[in-house]
Each structure stands twice: as C-alpha cells, then as structure tokens.
C-alpha cells in the first residue's frame, strides 16, 4: 500500500509539478497560508503567475486544502494534476475574471445554473447558491471563450462582500 503524503509534502509536490509542467520560473509559483483577512482569508493557496504585462500580472490562486482533501479521500495525484492543468489552461482565456472585484463590470456576465445539491456539495462549499429542495441554484460568471466553447466559474461567496452586497440582499435580488 502506498503511503499518503502529508499536507506539506502534497503542497510541495504540487508546486514542483506546476513549475515543471508550465515551464515557469520558481518564483512564479508560491504558497500562502490562510490568514484572517486579505487574499488568503478563505484558505491556503498556491499562486501561479500565468501572465505578466506592463499593466500587471494575471495570477491564478489554487485552493490546495480542497485538493488535499480530495487526495486524502482517494483521488490520485495524476487526477489532481490534470484538474490543475485544466484550470491553468483556462486562465489565459478568462478575460472576464479580471473584473471580478468590480460588480458593475462583471454583473452583465453573471448567470444562474442548477446543480444537484448532494452530488456537488463539496464544490459548493464556498460558492454563492440558494437551495430549492435538492437543487442548488448557483451563481456563475461567464469567464471567457475557448476554441471549443465557453468557460465559467462558480462565484465564491467572498465576492459578495467585495461587491458591497449582503448575502440575503443578493438572494433577494436574484430570486
């Protein structure tokens, strides 16, 4: 039987894999532990600098606690790496995510989708959604266009605060 990696070993292995797979300099992938406030208030993250321009950097934050939980529950490192690769590949095509902090700019890209609550409970943990029976009415943002279609993201609940909206007020607006 294969011995499971500790959380710290998992994070380091994933970080090294990202650097190698994406051909990035070491300092383009860095780890930040959860803090009480700020960018990591919702959990530990590996940050990946995906693009750098004169106007700034596009940085993708990967929630490693959730990935580690999946690993502990039996998801292979190969599957986790494939999920991370898919996420990183989409980042370059997610033009609308640049505006996630600005409700006025992002609101025209918001839409609702339906998910089975039980099947998707884990991924809904930090998402904006309201339940109706066994269905989660979930808030998404159209993130961008890919050559084979569109990409979208579930809106995380911390964005409501960033937008200056209370959860109950927002739900009233939606429903």
């Amino acid at each position: 039987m294969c011995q499971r990696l500790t959380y710290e070993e998992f994070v380091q292995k994933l970080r090294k894999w990202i650097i190698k797979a994406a051909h990035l300099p070491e300092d383009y992938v860095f780890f930040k532990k959860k803090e009480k406030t700020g960018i990591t208030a919702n959990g530990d993250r590996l940050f990946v600098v995906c693009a750098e321009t004169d106007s700034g950097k596009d940085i993708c934050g990967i929630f490693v606690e959730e990935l580690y939980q999946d690993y502990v529950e039996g998801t292979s490192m190969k599957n986790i790496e494939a999920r991370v690769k898919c996420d990183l590949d989409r980042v370059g095509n997610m033009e609308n995510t640049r505006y996630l902090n600005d409700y006025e700019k992002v609101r025209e890209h918001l839409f609702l989708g339906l998910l089975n609550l039980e099947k998707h409970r884990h991924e809904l943990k930090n998402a904006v959604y309201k339940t109706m029976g066994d269905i989660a009415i979930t808030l998404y943002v159209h993130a961008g266009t890919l050559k084979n279609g569109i990409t979208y993201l579930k809106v995380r609940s911390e964005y409501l605060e960033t937008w200056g909206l209370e959860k109950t007020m927002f739900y009233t607006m939606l429903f």
Side-chain angles (χ1 to χ4, degrees):
M1 185 174 162
C2 155
Q3 184 178 354
R4 293 272 177 215
L5 298 170
T6 66
Y7 179 68
E8 291 77 18
E9 291 169 334
F10 174 85
V11 170
Q12 282 308 311
K13 184 172 184 167
L14 187 58
R15 180 182 174 273
K16 288 179 182 178
W17 177 84
I18 292 168
I19 290 167
K20 184 177 179 184
H23 309 288
L24 294 171
E26 290 265 337
D27 62 336
Y28 271 46
V29 183
F30 53 95
F31 178 72
K32 293 254 185 189
K33 285 206 75 57
K34 180 178 181 171
E35 299 170 324
K36 290 186 182 197
T37 60
I39 197 160
T40 59
N42 292 303
D44 296 355
R45 291 193 220 180
L46 270 173
F47 288 98
V48 181
V49 178
C50 298
E52 194 167 9
T53 64
D54 292 339
S55 61
K57 296 178 182 180
D58 286 342
I59 298 178
C60 176
I62 300 166
F63 287 88
V64 290
E65 291 167 310
E66 294 170 11
L67 291 174
Y68 184 70
Q69 185 62 40
D70 290 346
Y71 169 77
V72 167
E73 292 172 1
T75 302
S76 71
M77 278 304 289
K78 211 171 210 42
N79 282 346
I80 289 170
E81 290 166 354
R83 284 171 35 195
V84 169
K85 182 181 183 331
C86 183
D87 289 344
L88 292 175
D89 287 346
R90 288 188 300 204
V91 168
N93 296 307
M94 297 199 213
E95 59 269 9
N96 297 331
T97 60
R98 294 188 176 120
Y99 309 114
L100 272 175
N101 290 327
D102 186 338
Y103 179 69
E104 291 305 316
K105 288 183 180 177
V106 81
R107 74 187 217 179
E108 68 187 74
H109 302 287
L110 297 175
F111 65 95
L112 298 174
L114 306 177
L115 289 174
N116 178 289
L117 185 61
E118 280 306 310
K119 286 185 178 179
H120 299 277
R121 185 172 297 281
H122 184 66
E123 64 188 81
L124 289 166
K125 188 171 123 185
N126 295 310
V128 176
Y129 70 96
K130 183 174 181 165
T131 59
M132 292 187 83
D134 61 351
I135 299 294
I137 303 169
T138 311
L139 183 63
Y140 290 90
V141 61
H142 171 248
T145 305
L146 301 171
K147 68 179 179 182
N148 295 334
I150 66 166
T151 186
Y152 52 88
L153 303 168
K154 288 176 203 69
V155 174
R156 295 178 65 90
S157 56
E158 68 253 25
Y159 282 105
L160 294 182
E161 186 177 317
T162 302
W163 297 340
L165 299 173
E166 291 182 29
K167 212 176 217 182
T168 53
M169 184 182 89
F170 193 73
Y171 289 145
T172 303
M173 289 169 46
L174 289 176
F175 308 105

